Amino acid sequence: MNQPASNKSEPALDTASVDAKSSAPSASAKSEGKADAKPERSGRLSADDWAQAALDLIAEQGVAAVAVEPLARRLGVTKGSFYWHFPSRDALLVAALERWEKVEQETVFGQLEPIPDPRQRLRSLFHLVAHEVKSHIIYSELLKALDHPAVQPVIGRVSERRLDYLTASFRQAGLSRTDAQHRARLLYAAYVGFLQLNLQLHQTRMQHDEFEAYVEHMMATLIPSS
């Protein structure tokens, strides 16, 4: 999920949106019925392999693109491999979303847990989130599909967990309960709005230095001073 360390020219979110689109199958490939095709592979795939492939497809083309046949071509296996693990496409989608939720919780919150100082923890959270890539794209695509019965509860849980975490961190940094809740909502609204500007409204991409300055401004504005 992390942007390669050598890529310092542009902010991660903007670069990711371009990379995800450029990795989508070309029109000519689709017309030949060979989109995402890979050589037949040996060895049985796990349910996690299928779930991760579904997440990759969500990042590239959205929730509606998740289907058994294109995923089987992408993985280089027959549909029989899919039905060994899942009874339906919806069951795969649920597993994929649960995987995304779990990995995000482990990689983001897991990295921050050892940091004792709440202000430093918030700064680390800003830096970590600012330079994540794929998880943001997936989240943006899921927001477009909130009417799907498998998507809504996941987004609900993730959003509630994030807001609770932010509120607790702001409380530990010295804000009152009410101020901490307001600050958490403000920060989360800024995050979702930034995703919309970059990944859905296709705002002109910031250069690297401009993006880093924006992140620093957000931290100076929203994280309480000691």
Side-chain angles (χ1 to χ4, degrees):
M1 292 195 297
N2 293 326
Q3 182 187 25
S6 60
N7 188 349
K8 297 291 184 181
S9 60
E10 296 178 345
L13 294 183
D14 298 325
T15 304
S17 64
V18 174
D19 290 345
K21 291 175 183 176
S22 64
S23 65
S26 65
S28 60
K30 289 180 180 180
S31 65
E32 295 171 5
K34 298 180 180 179
D36 298 327
K38 290 186 178 180
E40 186 76 16
R41 60 182 287 173
S42 59
R44 178 175 294 168
L45 292 177
S46 69
D48 280 346
D49 291 328
W50 280 96
Q52 185 58 55
L55 287 175
D56 293 341
L57 197 55
I58 289 172
E60 294 170 15
Q61 301 177 40
V63 173
V66 176
V68 178
E69 290 190 9
L71 283 171
R73 288 196 300 269
R74 172 181 291 239
L75 292 168
V77 296
T78 64
K79 289 191 295 183
S81 171
F82 169 82
Y83 290 110
W84 179 267
H85 298 290
F86 302 101
S88 66
R89 178 258 188 189
D90 285 345
L92 168 63
L93 183 58
V94 168
L97 297 181
E98 289 177 348
R99 176 179 175 82
W100 171 74
E101 182 179 5
K102 178 182 178 182
V103 168
E104 181 195 65
Q105 186 172 2
E106 292 175 349
T107 57
V108 176
F109 297 116
Q111 289 184 50
L112 298 173
E113 187 176 353
I115 303 174
D117 181 74
R119 295 174 184 84
Q120 184 57 47
R121 194 185 316 126
L122 284 165
R123 290 185 63 85
S124 297
L125 174 63
F126 271 81
H127 283 297
L128 181 61
V129 171
H131 299 96
E132 280 290 319
V133 178
K134 197 170 205 176
S135 181
H136 297 316
I137 301 174
I138 293 172
Y139 183 70
S140 180
E141 291 297 334
L142 295 180
L143 289 178
K144 299 177 188 178
L146 276 175
D147 58 340
H148 193 288
V151 172
Q152 195 281 329
V154 173
I155 290 295
R157 288 195 304 270
V158 167
S159 297
E160 183 176 5
R161 185 183 303 117
R162 290 172 172 178
L163 284 167
D164 286 347
Y165 184 88
L166 290 171
T167 300
S169 295
F170 284 128
R171 284 279 286 148
Q172 293 167 7
L175 296 185
S176 68
R177 180 176 300 277
T178 299
D179 287 346
Q181 289 174 337
H182 291 335
R183 193 75 60 97
R185 292 189 185 104
L186 179 61
L187 174 54
Y188 201 60
Y191 164 71
V192 174
F194 191 83
L195 288 185
Q196 287 187 310
L197 287 173
N198 282 263
L199 302 180
Q200 297 182 26
L201 301 180
H202 308 295
Q203 182 192 47
T204 301
R205 289 175 293 155
M206 295 181 187
Q207 295 299 313
H208 173 74
D209 290 345
E210 182 184 7
F211 178 74
E212 294 299 327
Y214 168 75
V215 174
E216 288 294 329
H217 174 76
M218 290 288 289
M219 288 191 291
T221 301
L222 295 174
I223 298 176
S225 59
S226 56

